[in-house]
């Protein structure tokens, strides 16, 4: 459903949970192909690059493999040979392990934001009627059209529907009164035929 996509893609300030670039799609943290749940609690916003790179791996397996590929030259021995400070394989793994723990903490924060009950209720009640993404109204279009509204709701703590409706009515009443005043105060053209 579009509301679920919007709830996920706008979490983490609309940025990829892995690299912090703009999010473009959702990723199953525990891959669906490995039995990961196809539920909001297992989804995070990601960019296409990270989604393709991670593929069917868990975040730790992906991150460790990617990081050690960059830092380990493949030369030398497990005791030395890393391109990063000529570290041992053990030292590199300990560094990467700490970074993976930080990544998992960050993913927990994003998951908590996505699954916040008030936030979820706000998204579902506002966008449920959009249904499923289609060729004519897909997620990018919905996101672009609703970006300001979502940012404002986040700023206001995802207000209840009655608060938003009251605000809209107040704005509409103000506009109606302003229009009446403009009509009343504007000079009326003189009709030459009436004299």
């Amino acid at each position: 459903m579009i509301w679920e996509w919007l709830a996920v893609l706008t979490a983490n300030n609309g940025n990829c949970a892995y690299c912090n670039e703009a999010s473009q799609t959702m990723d199953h943290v525990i891959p669906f192909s490995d039995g990961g749940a196809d539920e909001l609690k297992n989804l995070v916003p990601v960019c296409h690059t990270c989604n393709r790179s991670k593929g069917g791996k868990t975040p730790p397996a992906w991150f460790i493999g990617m990081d050690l590929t960059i830092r380990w030259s493949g030369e030398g021995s497990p005791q030395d040979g890393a391109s990063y400070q000529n570290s041992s394989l053990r030292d590199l793994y300990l560094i990467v392990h700490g970074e993976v723990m930080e990544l998992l903490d960050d993913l927990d924060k994003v998951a908590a934001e996505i699954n916040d009950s008030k936030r979820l209720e706000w998204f579902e009640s506002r966008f449920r009627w959009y249904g499923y993404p289609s060729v004519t109204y897909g997620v990018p279009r919905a996101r672009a059209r609703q970006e300001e509204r979502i940012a404002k709701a986040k700023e206001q703590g995802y207000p209840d529907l009655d608060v938003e409706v009251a605000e809209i009515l107040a704005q509409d009443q103000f506009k109606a009164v302003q229009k009446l005043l403009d009509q009343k105060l504007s000079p009326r053209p003189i009709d030459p035929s009436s004299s």
Side-chain angles (χ1 to χ4, degrees):
M1 303 279 293
I2 286 181
W3 78 266
E4 293 169 315
W5 278 86
L6 291 173
V8 172
L9 292 179
T10 58
N12 197 40
N13 294 318
N15 294 324
C16 175
Y18 302 127
C19 73
N20 223 27
E21 293 295 319
S23 65
Q24 300 158 313
T25 191
M26 298 187 292
D27 177 53
H28 289 86
V29 177
I30 305 301
F32 187 66
S33 59
D34 286 346
D38 192 22
E39 300 173 7
L40 291 173
K41 64 183 178 185
N42 189 39
L43 295 170
V44 292
V46 294
C47 67
H48 289 305
T49 302
C50 287
N51 195 41
R52 279 191 297 272
S53 175
K54 179 181 168 280
K57 300 178 190 91
T58 63
W62 170 63
F63 190 85
I64 290 169
M66 181 177 59
D67 197 81
L68 289 180
T69 301
I70 294 168
R71 294 187 195 187
W72 187 260
S73 65
E75 299 172 357
S77 66
Q79 290 73 34
D80 62 6
S83 52
Y84 180 76
Q85 299 177 346
N86 199 30
S87 302
S88 71
L89 187 57
R90 177 184 301 276
D91 291 339
L92 275 183
Y93 178 78
L94 290 174
I95 292 168
V96 173
H97 177 76
E99 292 170 351
V100 166
M101 295 306 291
E102 288 177 25
L103 171 64
L104 292 175
D105 288 344
D106 292 345
L107 292 176
D108 285 345
K109 289 175 189 168
V110 174
E113 178 184 357
I114 291 169
N115 291 287
D116 175 77
S117 59
K118 186 170 186 175
R119 184 177 184 277
L120 282 178
E121 188 277 325
W122 187 88
F123 275 93
E124 185 176 11
S125 66
R126 276 37 167 217
F127 304 113
R128 175 181 48 237
W129 60 272
Y130 282 41
Y132 289 93
S134 67
V135 174
T136 57
Y137 199 76
V139 174
R141 183 173 177 197
R143 185 177 181 184
R145 292 185 78 183
Q146 299 299 331
E147 198 165 27
E148 284 181 31
R149 182 179 183 193
I150 293 167
K152 184 177 179 182
K154 180 179 180 179
E155 186 179 290
Q156 295 175 340
Y158 300 101
D160 293 331
L161 189 57
D162 57 340
V163 172
E164 281 188 312
V165 169
E167 186 177 299
I168 291 167
L169 290 174
Q171 288 173 355
D172 287 347
Q173 288 174 351
F174 175 78
K175 288 176 187 173
V177 169
Q178 188 66 44
K179 185 176 179 181
L180 285 172
L181 287 173
D182 287 348
Q183 289 173 350
K184 205 170 211 167
L185 297 176
S186 64
R188 295 180 189 197
I190 300 172
D191 183 7
S193 63
S194 64
S195 34

